[in-house]
Amino acid sequence: MGINLFLAAETTASEAPPNHLQQNFHHIPILELASICINLTLLLVFLFAVSARQIVLCFGRIRLRKENSNRNSVASRHTGLVEGEGIRSLVIGTSYKATVFCCFYVLLVEVLVLGFDGVRLIKKAAHRKGNKTHWTIILLPAAQSLAWFVLSFSALYRKYKFAEKFPLLLRIWGVTDIQVYRNSDLQEPLLEEEAGCLRVTPYSEAGLLSLVTLSWLNPLLSTGAKRPLELKDIPLLAPKDRSKTNYKALNSNWERLKAENPLKQPSLAWAILKTFWKEAASNAIFAGVNTLVSYVGPYMISYFVDYLGGKETFPHEGYILAGTFFTAKLVETLTTRQWYLGVDILGMHVRSALTAMVYRKGLRLSSSARQSHTSGEIVNYMAVDVQRVGDYSWYLHDIWMLPLQIILALAILYKNVGIASVATLIATIISIVATIPLARIQEDYQDKLMTAKDDRMRKTSECLRNMRILKLQAWEDRYRLILEEMRGVEFKYLRKALYSQAFITFIFWSSPIFVSAVTFGTCIMLGGHLTAGSVLSALATFRILQEPLRNFPDLVSMMAQTKVSLDRITGFLHEEELQEDATIALPRGISNVAIEIKDGEFSWDPSAPSPTLSSIQFRVEKGMRVAVCGVVGSGKSSFLSSILGEIPKISGEVRICGSAAYVSQSAWIQSGNIEENILFGSPMDKAKYKSVIHACSLKKDLELFSHGDQTIIGDRGINLSGGQKQRVQLARALYHDADIYLLDDPFSAVDAHTGSELFKEYIMTALATKTVVFVTHQVEFLPAADLILVLKEGRIIQSGKYDELLQAGTDFNALVCAHHEAIEAMDFCNQTSEDSDKHDPPDSSVPTIKRDSVGNDIDSTASEVQQGASTSDQKAIKEKKKAKRSRRKQLVQEEDGARKSWLESVLLLQIASSWWMAWANPQTTGEKPRTNSMVLLVVYMVLAFGSSWFIFVRAVLVATFGLAAAQKLFMKMLRTVFRAPMSFFDSTPAGRILNRVSIDQSVVDLDIPFRLGGFASTTIQLVGIVGVMTQVTWQILLLVVPMAIACLWMQKYYMASSRELVRIVSIQKSPVIHLFAESIAGAATIRGFGQEKRFMKRNLYLLDCFARPFFCSLAAIEWLCLRMELLSTFVFAFCMILLVSFPHGTIDPSMAGLAVTYGLNLNARLSRWILSFCKLENKIISIERIHQYCEIPSEAPAIIEDSRPPSSWPENGKIELIDLKVRYKECLPVVLHGVSCTFPGGKKIGIVGRTGSGKSTLIQALFRLIEPAGGRIIIDSIDIATIGLHDLRSRLSIIPQDPTLFEGTIRGNLDPLEEHSDQEIWQALDKSQLGEIVRQKEHKLDTPVLENGDNWSVGQRQLVSLGRALLKQARILVLDEATASVDSATDNLIQKIIRTEFKNCTVCTIAHRIPTVIDSDLVLVLSDGRVAEFDTPSRLLEDKSSMFLKLVSEYSSRSNGIPDF
């Protein structure tokens, strides 16, 4: 109908004479004509686009037909052209329905108007007969009807064509709410682990308008507004934004720079610039345009004031000025958002590339380099330094923009105040130069602060790793105090840094005032005439200049900090890597010699006088079994490292033929499930997997776990026993199916029965055709070896077969004799065991396990950790869902205490100073000023400097309150964490706790106080701007109120998504750090298996998982700011139009000029206010996270004043267990089922039982690491549940299974509480056979101990643990598998020392080696958490049915019968 009417109108018009038509068009108002033209243009563009698309499709079909003319698949190709191919379902959102409804509603209205106008015209034409009829009246409704018709039906058409992308016209609305779900088989995932989200971010393919308005983010934000976002909602990054792309580019540039000049250290900054210069350059264009446009306002203000004063130079000048102001503001708004987003993306690229480089370096570090960087330090390079280098992108363009801004400002000032602008330049240079010494001081403090933070993080990380030892030894308070002292040092530099920052802030708030005072003063002295217009123009210029000048100290300190961080990272990247030529790897099958070492000389410390291994000659044929033995510290583990190429080679040659697999002495287990640890990146082969499980004797253990091989292993394999960890490691090596197996003492951690079974199934059967080199202390396994090497002091002193070496005598003989001595202690039982063998069937030596009850024991541990893991996962997701509003409020109040009044004063004084200059100066050049120049200047300076003085006081107060609050939070968190029960550390990854004490604490230390201050001052500035504008034009309130409501609504809409995005970002950051720490700890294993590439890939994948939500959260901030600024730009334009529309003389021009001067800042202030509010909201999450760790329930009190035991307790050492029941958690089954027995004082008690029978649980209950669920433990008639934990643990002594040394000195490790003299320490060292070794060292008792005790062998660490027990001299000593890692001779020695030194003490020994417990006074045999037997060894051995007898006969038959393998 509309078209017919329109055609009718056209026909009528064409019939009329030409001049009549022209006259008709002259009658149409200009706006109406413009509207008609726009509508028709859009219609034509749309029709053109549709027809062009049809032509393209048509050509495409013709081409396809030609291509497929000889095939039958034409039809299928045609169907492929249908857009809806592969659609599974379509979800239509409410906003889409609303859009279509609105379109059709407007179309209906337009058609009604067209109909109404048409009918009226027809009536008029009928009445007038012959008179002119203005048919042009219906032009506008006709054009609009047509446009809306096309728009409405194209929107509806989208639904039927399954298109997610709306036509451009509709996307302008910012509403796209159709979600299309396609069949998954049509889309391949981009990464094997990328399940969940297969969409690539729309940003990569967004059109121009979508990029400018950031509307590509709408679908994500609308999802976030409906429900909390999850990681799977967040689209993938575009390929160019992914970590891999950026890492490859940066790494190639870095390597190229290194190759160009090998002698000179290349610049990392230059490599970064070469890699990302294109991004930086395109970003610089936005920054440059933004800077130019921002000076249009100040330049035009003087003309505007002149115009309001009645000086009109050309017609419509007012409207043209208002239009210019508006256009400049609009361009400024759009370019700012693009600039900021670009800078953020650039920072993200740099961060992911650098993180990947640091990670790769961490995997390749040589041992000496590794010793100079602890894992805590390396994690800091990644968590802190890389972050800072990425953040520098924000300040990148300031270096060249600052001179540009100063030049533009001087040009405007020259127009306004003439030659006085030279004084401005001088004053500006002075104020910049004045801060250089301050920046140096700032850099120095920053440097020291980072060093102190590194030290604290290193110690914290060590304490978290070894929390079990700290609690068992009752040392946690001592180590907490050390950490508090370290924090004290850090706090000292933090305070200095913040106070110097406050002073710099004061200087820079003062500098624009100083510059403006100098400028106005010079102008007055030179006799220049200031007018209100020129003053306001100058003030607006100073105000814009204020921003770069105020940011200059940030720029300088950021440059300083970035330089420090870049130097630290460069230093790390330049560290020595493992020698590429350490080993010569030959492909499989090329030679019959598997391993060959010629004249090998190796040393962990190249500067040491004597090498670790010297004159090594070694040759192994393919398929040989080689055993390596020797006393503790003889270099056995170093020997394996030399084959792997881990130990620096001084001279010689190492050749390896084929692939290798390595099993380290202290097990390295990744967090994840058991299956993942065994597969270790290889594809699953069910048959092979089954045989591996069987060979490693893991079948039984996996049956006992409730989730089998899917059981989640806690951090560092915390919920597996030592033996299970070792067997998982062995399974990992076997599944890898390598040619050469290097096993470092794999049988020490398992009991006798499992050990012999492992040897038989694993080494003798599964690895029968492989080359195996194994270190062992178990002499009984040696006869089966084809070659035995005996090491002493780093040399191979003997090599040959078992019998040859026995005949040769010397050291090997000594090792074997020590073993036989231990066996002879059991000889008296051999007779009985032979008798029992006659009666029992052959299999009876392996007792049948009561499956269900043992099941309960291990099951309970497994399910506990399974739950721990799953709940900790849930925790990670729901981590901070509980909004701690009250806590936020409290902290904000603590910091905000004395600030409000200061801020109000600041603002009033600032506005007053500007108002004074505008009021006191004449409106035009001819008028007289209202006051003399001296008064003018003095009042201005008093008001302006007053405001900057208040700012200084505010900055100091912010720093003071912020520091106090941060320190309070840190101390509370530290104390709570150290008082947490052991179960907390078992179920929480160390990475998560480290995140709290590093990243979150940094935010609270440095960010939050200044963000609070910034937010408060921006709020008051915003109120001031609106106040000044409404004072001149009250009508503006009509717009300000709806604008405020719209802003708050948008902010709420944005926060729904933003809060979740920030949470996801913080959750996704932990795995990156966790993998990093884990990989550095297991670097030797990763390299041993040649898995560096896989771990590198994993790291890049985790970095992308972190970057996805991070990128979206950055874009979301810009999305919000853009909309806010557009609103405020329209309010400003409305204000300008109002001012121009008022008749001349109705308002004071200088006041109107002041309103415009302040109004120019409205959009920047509004977006800054929203931004600082949102950032503060996001940063406060760090307070929530820390506060969450301040609320961990603590274990029992350390000291109970009312019931402290006597100082001599326990005197006798008698331990009574009365119906003891223990469970790991409330919801888990009981592990110890009513254990009752009495250990008499001063006796030696041996505790034995199969893996998982509850031996270690009993010890944990004795030390109250787990509180009993029922029953009591009484020591010397005191119930241990009634006394404090510190009193209990400090009176008991333990030598644990995993020997742990702390970084520091030998003295600090033996006596951290500093309770003993040097003489006592030397005695303890001599008794524990370490005296000679320590005396040979240069620093004696102050000999350094590296992180984890890496510079001492495992056996030596065990002897240090013995030394601790000797020093403590407690009446009760517990040995938990204490001699598992030492050879038989050292074991016998330790047993002798314990017999003599602890003869009057109660000694409880858990052991797998039967000789260790055979001479005990009593033996407790546990089975399934119950007491199976408790009697003297001789009585138990007489009883033919005793379990103990079976264990003993197994051990002795294993020791005597190995050659039968």
Side-chain angles (χ1 to χ4, degrees):
M1 186 186 83
I3 293 169
N4 292 341
L5 269 167
F6 184 67
L7 287 174
E10 287 291 293
T11 321
T12 327
S14 59
E15 283 166 10
N19 61 344
H20 180 201
L21 184 67
Q22 275 174 355
Q23 279 175 0
N24 276 355
F25 272 109
H26 277 301
H27 283 298
I28 301 174
I30 190 79
L31 278 175
E32 211 166 294
L33 200 58
S35 179
I36 292 167
C37 292
I38 289 166
N39 276 298
L40 291 175
T41 309
L42 286 174
L43 179 66
L44 287 170
V45 167
F46 181 80
L47 291 172
F48 172 75
V50 170
S51 54
R53 191 157 174 262
Q54 290 304 321
I55 293 163
V56 170
L57 278 177
C58 184
F59 276 117
R61 284 183 185 136
I62 293 163
R63 196 165 65 249
L64 273 174
R65 283 204 182 102
K66 280 179 184 170
E67 281 173 12
N68 295 323
S69 56
N70 54 351
R71 295 186 201 163
N72 298 329
S73 57
V74 186
S76 64
R77 283 293 179 112
H78 274 285
T79 54
L81 284 164
V82 180
E83 282 183 42
E85 181 192 23
I87 301 292
R88 190 173 80 243
S89 65
L90 189 73
V91 177
I92 304 294
T94 347
S95 47
Y96 170 76
K97 291 173 187 164
T99 307
V100 175
F101 173 76
C102 289
C103 285
F104 277 101
Y105 174 72
V106 177
L107 175 62
L108 179 70
V109 172
E110 292 294 348
V111 170
L112 286 174
V113 170
L114 181 65
F116 179 73
D117 283 351
V119 170
R120 211 177 57 178
L121 264 181
I122 291 163
K123 277 184 180 171
K124 263 188 188 175
H127 283 304
R128 286 187 180 178
K129 290 188 183 167
N131 286 357
K132 294 180 206 165
T133 310
H134 289 290
W135 286 100
T136 46
I137 288 174
I138 62 163
L139 265 180
L140 182 62
Q144 284 178 332
S145 302
L146 265 175
W148 280 102
F149 176 81
V150 170
L151 199 61
S152 308
F153 281 98
S154 63
L156 197 62
Y157 176 71
R158 292 295 107 193
K159 179 183 167 184
Y160 296 106
K161 293 295 281 178
F162 303 108
E164 285 180 86
K165 217 166 182 183
F166 275 53
L168 182 73
L169 283 170
L170 272 179
R171 271 185 286 142
I172 294 170
W173 281 53
V175 179
T176 62
D177 205 5
I178 299 184
Q179 287 174 333
V180 180
Y181 296 97
R182 300 179 186 278
N183 287 338
S184 55
D185 57 352
L186 294 174
Q187 294 186 332
E188 288 182 22
L190 290 149
L191 255 171
E192 66 278 11
E193 296 160 277
E194 289 281 28
C197 182
L198 298 169
R199 290 174 296 119
V200 174
T201 173
Y203 174 70
S204 59
E205 290 168 3
L208 181 66
L209 192 82
S210 182
L211 286 173
V212 170
T213 58
L214 298 171
S215 54
W216 54 268
L217 200 65
N218 288 342
L220 184 72
L221 293 177
S222 69
T223 308
K226 290 170 200 159
R227 59 175 173 80
L229 287 173
E230 293 165 31
L231 184 64
K232 66 170 188 282
D233 297 319
I234 297 166
L236 307 180
L237 293 173
K240 69 177 172 58
D241 294 325
R242 291 192 192 146
S243 312
K244 187 179 179 180
T245 317
N246 296 304
Y247 158 68
K248 276 187 169 170
L250 179 59
N251 195 47
S252 68
N253 279 317
W254 171 247
E255 294 300 335
R256 200 175 300 132
L257 283 177
K258 275 192 349 195
E260 278 168 14
N261 193 346
L263 301 174
K264 193 170 152 239
Q265 183 167 322
S267 156
L268 183 61
W270 184 237
I272 292 172
L273 196 65
K274 279 183 82 170
T275 312
F276 300 107
W277 72 268
K278 283 182 185 165
E279 276 184 67
S282 61
N283 202 244
I285 294 168
F286 286 119
V289 170
N290 182 272
T291 306
L292 291 170
V293 172
S294 64
Y295 278 92
V296 170
Y299 180 76
M300 307 287 286
I301 279 182
S302 53
Y303 295 113
F304 191 70
V305 174
D306 288 349
Y307 167 76
L308 292 180
K311 197 170 152 192
E312 190 171 348
T313 45
F314 53 88
H316 304 303
E317 185 188 359
Y319 289 104
I320 288 167
L321 281 173
T324 311
F325 271 114
F326 172 65
T327 310
K329 271 292 163 213
L330 195 62
V331 173
E332 187 188 341
T333 298
L334 296 173
T335 50
T336 307
R337 303 293 43 113
Q338 294 305 316
W339 167 24
Y340 285 1
L341 184 62
V343 158
D344 280 327
I345 293 171
L346 176 63
M348 182 178 84
H349 289 169
V350 172
R351 268 193 295 273
S352 47
L354 271 180
T355 305
M357 279 177 76
V358 171
Y359 179 80
R360 176 172 155 274
K361 186 72 183 184
L363 287 181
R364 292 183 171 189
L365 277 188
S366 71
S367 64
S368 54
R370 178 70 187 80
Q371 283 171 13
S372 60
H373 299 274
T374 61
S375 51
E377 252 171 57
I378 298 174
V379 168
N380 246 357
Y381 291 136
M382 193 203 70
V384 181
D385 293 301
V386 169
Q387 180 73 27
R388 188 165 290 152
V389 175
D391 288 346
Y392 181 68
S393 64
W394 268 92
Y395 298 86
L396 185 64
H397 301 304
D398 291 4
I399 305 162
W400 61 267
M401 272 167 58
L402 187 67
L404 175 67
Q405 283 166 319
I406 290 171
I407 290 164
L408 288 170
L410 290 173
I412 294 172
L413 287 170
Y414 184 73
K415 177 181 117 6
N416 289 316
V417 293
I419 198 71
S421 55
V422 175
T424 312
L425 179 63
I426 295 164
T428 306
I429 291 169
I430 291 170
S431 60
I432 288 176
V433 170
T435 56
I436 290 170
L438 284 171
R440 290 235 171 93
I441 296 168
Q442 179 85 347
E443 180 185 357
D444 183 43
Y445 289 149
Q446 200 66 39
D447 230 351
K448 288 174 175 161
L449 176 64
M450 284 311 299
T451 313
K453 191 184 175 70
D454 275 353
D455 293 344
R456 174 175 68 83
M457 285 307 298
R458 189 162 70 224
K459 202 72 190 165
T460 309
S461 161
E462 184 176 60
C463 291
L464 292 175
R465 268 201 316 277
N466 303 314
M467 190 53 81
R468 190 174 293 273
I469 299 290
L470 293 184
K471 287 193 178 294
L472 288 169
Q473 299 281 9
W475 289 347
E476 68 264 54
D477 283 350
R478 171 76 190 130
Y479 277 83
R480 195 199 73 228
L481 289 172
I482 291 174
L483 280 177
E484 286 184 5
E485 282 165 25
M486 289 178 139
R487 170 69 181 175
V489 175
E490 182 190 358
F491 188 71
K492 183 176 81 183
Y493 292 117
L494 184 66
R495 188 164 52 217
K496 287 180 175 174
L498 286 183
Y499 282 147
S500 63
Q501 181 72 41
F503 189 64
I504 290 176
T505 307
F506 164 64
I507 295 279
F508 272 89
W509 269 87
S510 309
S511 61
I513 296 160
F514 166 66
V515 170
S516 58
V518 168
T519 308
F520 292 145
T522 312
C523 184
I524 290 166
M525 279 162 63
L526 292 175
H529 290 291
L530 290 173
T531 64
S534 59
V535 165
L536 287 170
S537 181
L539 283 175
T541 310
F542 292 136
R543 183 171 280 245
I544 290 191
L545 199 55
Q546 189 177 13
E547 204 64 26
L549 282 184
R550 198 184 318 147
N551 288 341
F552 188 70
D554 286 353
L555 171 67
V556 175
S557 82
M558 195 64 196
M559 282 172 81
Q561 288 175 31
T562 308
K563 187 178 177 301
V564 169
S565 290
L566 273 171
D567 290 346
R568 281 160 55 95
I569 297 170
T570 309
F572 178 65
L573 292 177
H574 268 284
E575 283 292 0
E576 183 189 24
E577 294 189 4
L578 286 173
Q579 296 166 327
E580 294 287 334
D581 59 343
T583 59
I584 299 165
L586 304 171
R588 178 184 298 186
I590 206 165
S591 151
N592 207 30
V593 178
I595 308 168
E596 185 175 17
I597 302 178
K598 289 181 189 166
D599 308 320
E601 196 161 302
F602 306 89
S603 177
W604 286 116
D605 181 7
S607 59
S610 57
T612 313
L613 298 172
S614 56
S615 42
I616 302 287
Q617 295 284 357
F618 175 59
R619 182 186 166 98
V620 180
E621 301 282 327
K622 236 171 154 180
M624 274 175 77
R625 271 192 297 278
V626 182
V628 182
C629 55
V631 294
V632 168
S634 58
K636 301 183 295 295
S637 297
S638 300
F639 177 69
L640 288 189
S641 295
S642 71
I643 300 172
L644 285 165
E646 288 287 321
I647 179 169
K649 181 176 72 176
I650 296 166
S651 63
E653 191 179 78
V654 182
R655 286 172 183 275
I656 288 183
C657 180
S659 59
Y662 169 62
V663 174
S664 57
Q665 185 171 7
S666 40
W668 177 71
I669 303 287
Q670 272 189 285
S671 44
N673 61 33
I674 294 174
E675 184 191 280
E676 285 166 9
N677 267 285
I678 294 174
L679 295 181
F680 204 54
S682 305
M684 168 59 96
D685 173 345
K686 283 284 185 203
K688 182 173 158 189
Y689 185 73
K690 257 187 171 168
S691 64
V692 166
I693 296 290
H694 171 71
C696 298
S697 317
L698 276 169
K699 197 161 184 280
K700 233 173 237 172
D701 299 79
L702 293 183
E703 283 169 2
L704 299 177
F705 286 127
S706 52
H707 297 271
D709 61 4
Q710 297 305 310
T711 301
I712 297 285
I713 299 172
D715 198 18
R716 306 186 307 282
I718 208 136
N719 54 317
L720 297 181
S721 71
Q724 286 166 334
K725 278 193 236 180
Q726 195 62 279
R727 280 176 291 150
V728 167
Q729 275 212 116
L730 287 166
R732 177 202 294 159
L734 181 56
Y735 193 85
H736 198 63
D737 196 21
D739 304 310
I740 298 167
Y741 282 79
L742 305 171
L743 315 176
D744 195 352
D745 199 9
F747 309 114
S748 60
V750 294
D751 58 60
H753 168 66
T754 314
S756 49
E757 204 174 78
L758 259 182
F759 191 81
K760 194 160 119 193
E761 294 292 341
Y762 193 86
I763 290 185
M764 304 301 291
T765 314
L767 299 180
T769 58
K770 307 282 186 184
T771 310
V772 184
V773 180
F774 63 96
V775 170
T776 186
H777 293 129
Q778 273 82 344
V779 175
E780 59 268 28
F781 295 144
L782 296 179
D786 301 323
L787 174 68
I788 298 168
L789 303 179
V790 183
L791 269 81
K792 187 180 184 182
E793 292 168 3
R795 292 167 183 271
I796 299 177
I797 51 165
Q798 284 175 291
S799 70
K801 282 190 177 300
Y802 185 77
D803 298 333
E804 294 166 15
L805 293 182
L806 269 184
Q807 285 157 11
T810 64
D811 290 77
F812 182 68
N813 224 345
L815 283 172
V816 177
C817 291
H819 174 67
H820 284 311
E821 259 175 50
I823 296 293
E824 277 157 20
M826 296 162 45
D827 262 358
F828 66 88
C829 74
N830 279 357
Q831 205 58 42
T832 45
S833 69
E834 278 164 28
D835 293 348
S836 65
D837 280 354
K838 289 172 194 165
H839 302 297
D840 290 352
D843 268 338
S844 67
S845 62
V846 186
T848 53
I849 294 181
K850 295 173 195 152
R851 183 63 54 78
D852 53 345
S853 47
V854 182
N856 284 350
D857 174 15
I858 296 191
D859 219 12
S860 62
T861 325
S863 58
E864 173 214 348
V865 176
Q866 184 75 26
Q867 279 190 337
S870 60
T871 51
S872 72
D873 282 353
Q874 288 164 5
K875 259 187 224 158
I877 293 159
K878 294 183 181 167
E879 200 154 46
K880 294 126 323 224
K881 288 274 161 94
K882 313 164 196 156
K884 307 253 187 316
R885 301 283 170 199
S886 57
R887 175 66 199 158
R888 289 183 182 189
K889 215 161 147 191
Q890 186 185 334
L891 190 106
V892 172
Q893 282 164 357
E894 273 174 26
E895 296 199 356
D896 222 22
R899 206 174 306 132
K900 293 287 188 288
S901 52
W902 295 110
L903 285 165
E904 283 146 21
S905 330
V906 172
L907 185 84
L908 291 172
L909 287 174
Q910 270 182 335
I911 293 175
S913 64
S914 301
W915 173 83
W916 167 256
M917 287 304 275
W919 174 82
N921 280 300
Q923 309 296 311
T924 53
T925 38
E927 281 182 41
K928 284 189 68 132
R930 299 186 185 181
T931 170
N932 74 6
S933 47
M934 199 62 205
V935 174
L936 175 81
L937 213 57
V938 169
V939 172
Y940 175 68
M941 283 170 72
V942 166
L943 291 170
F945 278 111
S947 80
S948 67
W949 174 248
F950 279 121
I951 280 159
F952 175 61
V953 176
R954 189 200 83 199
V956 171
L957 283 174
V958 166
T960 310
F961 287 117
L963 283 166
Q967 188 68 343
K968 209 163 156 186
L969 269 175
F970 177 80
M971 290 303 188
K972 191 174 179 193
M973 170 169 67
L974 188 68
R975 283 169 191 164
T976 315
V977 167
F978 268 74
R979 294 285 306 129
M982 203 57 227
S983 58
F984 168 74
F985 298 98
D986 289 349
S987 61
T988 311
R992 197 175 296 159
I993 307 174
L994 284 174
N995 234 344
R996 298 291 198 289
V997 292
S998 66
I999 295 169
D1000 290 321
Q1001 188 60 45
S1002 275
V1003 168
V1004 176
D1005 285 344
L1006 296 162
D1007 269 14
I1008 289 181
F1010 283 102
R1011 288 218 183 278
L1012 270 172
F1015 174 66
S1017 68
T1018 312
T1019 308
I1020 292 179
Q1021 279 176 333
L1022 197 60
V1023 172
I1025 291 172
V1026 173
V1028 170
M1029 286 168 78
T1030 46
Q1031 197 263 325
V1032 178
T1033 53
W1034 63 264
Q1035 292 87 339
I1036 205 159
L1037 281 174
L1038 299 174
L1039 265 189
V1040 167
V1041 174
M1043 181 187 84
I1045 292 167
C1047 284
L1048 289 170
W1049 178 83
M1050 268 195 282
Q1051 191 260 341
K1052 203 174 166 194
Y1053 179 76
Y1054 154 83
M1055 277 314 288
S1057 302
S1058 169
R1059 205 177 288 123
E1060 292 310 313
L1061 284 170
V1062 171
R1063 288 194 200 294
I1064 295 170
V1065 166
S1066 53
I1067 289 167
Q1068 289 302 321
K1069 192 162 184 88
S1070 292
V1072 177
I1073 293 178
H1074 187 66
L1075 176 78
F1076 205 80
E1078 202 169 57
S1079 305
I1080 287 163
T1085 305
I1086 295 169
R1087 289 192 292 259
F1089 282 87
Q1091 293 271 334
E1092 297 101 317
K1093 266 191 178 161
R1094 183 172 72 86
F1095 275 81
M1096 194 65 212
K1097 269 186 183 167
R1098 174 82 188 150
N1099 179 49
L1100 291 171
Y1101 166 69
L1102 288 176
L1103 282 172
D1104 283 340
C1105 279
F1106 167 71
R1108 276 159 60 191
F1110 182 69
F1111 170 65
C1112 289
S1113 70
L1114 294 176
I1117 289 176
E1118 300 307 332
W1119 180 93
L1120 178 71
C1121 288
L1122 177 72
R1123 278 147 184 75
M1124 298 282 185
E1125 288 195 17
L1126 285 173
L1127 278 177
S1128 58
T1129 303
F1130 287 120
V1131 170
F1132 176 63
F1134 177 67
C1135 174
M1136 296 288 290
I1137 287 167
L1138 277 180
L1139 290 173
V1140 172
S1141 307
F1142 287 150
H1144 286 309
T1146 49
I1147 47 170
D1148 182 349
S1150 55
M1151 286 302 101
L1154 187 66
V1156 174
T1157 310
Y1158 274 88
L1160 281 172
N1161 263 17
L1162 180 64
N1163 61 349
R1165 282 284 155 261
L1166 183 68
S1167 67
R1168 172 165 288 197
W1169 179 73
I1170 288 294
L1171 204 63
S1172 58
F1173 178 74
C1174 296
K1175 283 203 169 164
L1176 186 63
E1177 177 102 2
N1178 291 340
K1179 294 285 182 190
I1180 281 181
I1181 288 175
S1182 288
I1183 297 181
E1184 281 183 23
R1185 285 161 61 87
I1186 290 176
H1187 181 63
Q1188 191 189 354
Y1189 274 29
C1190 294
E1191 302 293 305
I1192 303 164
S1194 80
E1195 53 185 358
I1199 291 171
I1200 300 172
E1201 287 300 340
D1202 301 344
S1203 63
R1204 296 201 66 170
S1207 56
S1208 57
W1209 178 88
E1211 286 172 36
N1212 191 12
K1214 180 183 175 189
I1215 304 172
E1216 296 171 70
L1217 308 176
I1218 304 166
D1219 192 29
L1220 182 68
K1221 294 188 180 73
V1222 173
R1223 55 156 58 98
Y1224 279 94
K1225 267 190 186 169
E1226 281 303 314
C1227 50
L1228 296 172
V1230 175
V1231 181
L1232 292 182
H1233 306 265
V1235 172
S1236 294
C1237 56
T1238 302
F1239 301 164
K1243 299 286 184 194
K1244 309 284 171 282
I1245 317 291
I1247 303 172
V1248 293
R1250 298 239 180 274
T1251 303
S1253 57
K1255 304 186 294 291
S1256 292
T1257 309
L1258 181 64
I1259 299 305
Q1260 289 190 57
L1262 183 63
F1263 281 84
R1264 283 178 67 195
L1265 286 184
I1266 312 170
E1267 295 290 348
R1272 292 184 299 161
I1273 301 176
I1274 293 173
I1275 299 178
D1276 282 2
S1277 60
I1278 290 184
D1279 184 347
I1280 64 167
T1282 61
I1283 59 172
L1285 291 181
H1286 186 271
D1287 283 336
L1288 168 69
R1289 291 169 186 167
S1290 59
R1291 310 292 176 87
L1292 308 179
S1293 213
I1294 185 167
I1295 304 178
Q1297 183 174 3
D1298 298 322
T1300 304
L1301 294 192
F1302 292 89
E1303 191 181 351
T1305 61
I1306 281 290
R1307 179 195 272 110
N1309 269 285
L1310 285 165
D1311 179 30
L1313 304 180
E1314 296 166 7
E1315 294 172 336
H1316 303 279
S1317 66
D1318 281 11
Q1319 190 188 352
E1320 290 172 308
I1321 294 174
W1322 277 117
Q1323 280 174 358
L1325 281 171
D1326 289 333
K1327 285 173 186 169
S1328 58
Q1329 307 300 306
L1330 279 172
E1332 273 315 301
I1333 297 171
V1334 177
R1335 279 193 185 89
Q1336 283 166 15
K1337 306 270 184 185
E1338 186 186 339
H1339 302 290
K1340 307 288 187 284
L1341 288 180
D1342 292 322
T1343 301
V1345 175
L1346 295 180
E1347 192 181 17
N1348 297 329
D1350 285 343
N1351 55 340
W1352 297 78
S1353 78
V1354 177
Q1356 288 168 334
R1357 288 182 230 166
Q1358 198 59 279
L1359 294 174
V1360 172
S1361 295
L1362 174 64
R1364 286 175 187 157
L1366 287 164
L1367 265 184
K1368 206 171 186 183
Q1369 283 297 335
R1371 298 287 302 173
I1372 295 173
L1373 172 68
V1374 176
L1375 287 92
D1376 185 1
E1377 306 285 0
T1379 54
S1381 315
V1382 295
D1383 56 88
S1384 293
T1386 314
D1387 186 6
N1388 294 348
L1389 188 76
I1390 290 175
Q1391 295 306 328
K1392 275 180 193 153
I1393 295 168
I1394 288 169
R1395 276 184 217 118
T1396 51
E1397 295 299 325
F1398 295 95
K1399 57 176 181 285
N1400 300 325
C1401 303
T1402 309
V1403 181
C1404 305
T1405 310
I1406 294 180
H1408 288 143
R1409 285 182 182 168
I1410 297 299
T1412 312
V1413 294
I1414 200 80
D1415 65 339
S1416 305
D1417 300 320
L1418 292 164
V1419 172
L1420 171 67
V1421 183
L1422 286 175
S1423 172
D1424 316 337
R1426 292 184 170 81
V1427 177
E1429 296 157 1
F1430 183 49
D1431 212 331
T1432 60
S1434 50
R1435 281 213 198 120
L1436 289 175
L1437 291 169
E1438 285 162 12
D1439 179 0
K1440 298 282 191 297
S1441 64
S1442 91
M1443 272 182 80
F1444 185 61
L1445 176 65
K1446 285 173 185 167
L1447 289 168
V1448 170
S1449 34
E1450 263 169 43
Y1451 189 82
S1452 53
S1453 66
R1454 175 178 96 168
S1455 302
N1456 300 326
I1458 288 294
D1460 303 345
F1461 276 149

